[in-house]
Amino acid sequence: MSQKLLTEIGRSTLVESTATCGDYKMYVSYSIANGNKINYVRCNLARNAGLESQSNQIYVGYMALEGTNKTMNFNEGVDSVACTSAFEGIIEEIKQTLEE
């Protein structure tokens, strides 16, 4: 057997979820390390183009939390206040889940 190149230094859990904010569908993924530390929260934002199927959704924004840094990008016309508020709620919900 050859010598190992990798030394494992940790493991994380990836969780994928969805949420709804008005006319927007939020596709959320987040990573948790050591059972209770958030590595990141990433959220892609889509709006329905008239039909309910995912294939008819239009990408309209992105929000992320990496460490203590938040990044948000929205297409023109997106209700950024409502989406930002929903994203903050998602982060708080994740934190509460980790405390249980």
Side-chain angles (χ1 to χ4, degrees), residues 7-88:
T7 301
E8 185 174 312
I9 58 173
R11 290 184 183 237
S12 62
T13 301
L14 175 66
V15 180
E16 295 179 336
S17 321
T18 61
T20 303
C21 173
D23 293 335
Y24 304 102
K25 184 84 168 203
M26 304 169 88
Y27 295 92
V28 180
S29 63
Y30 60 95
S31 173
I32 301 167
N34 302 321
N36 64 354
K37 180 182 179 267
I38 298 173
N39 287 330
Y40 65 79
V41 180
R42 297 178 183 146
C43 177
N44 286 299
L45 195 59
R47 181 178 9 214
N48 284 335
L51 299 173
E52 287 298 315
S53 73
Q54 185 173 348
S55 64
N56 292 311
Q57 292 182 337
I58 300 168
Y59 173 84
V60 294
Y62 175 80
M63 298 174 284
L65 169 70
E66 304 262 351
T68 59
N69 298 316
K70 291 181 186 168
T71 303
M72 298 180 190
N73 297 294
F74 302 104
N75 289 1
E76 189 174 330
V78 170
D79 185 352
S80 59
V81 173
C83 292
T84 300
S85 178
F87 186 62
E88 294 293 337

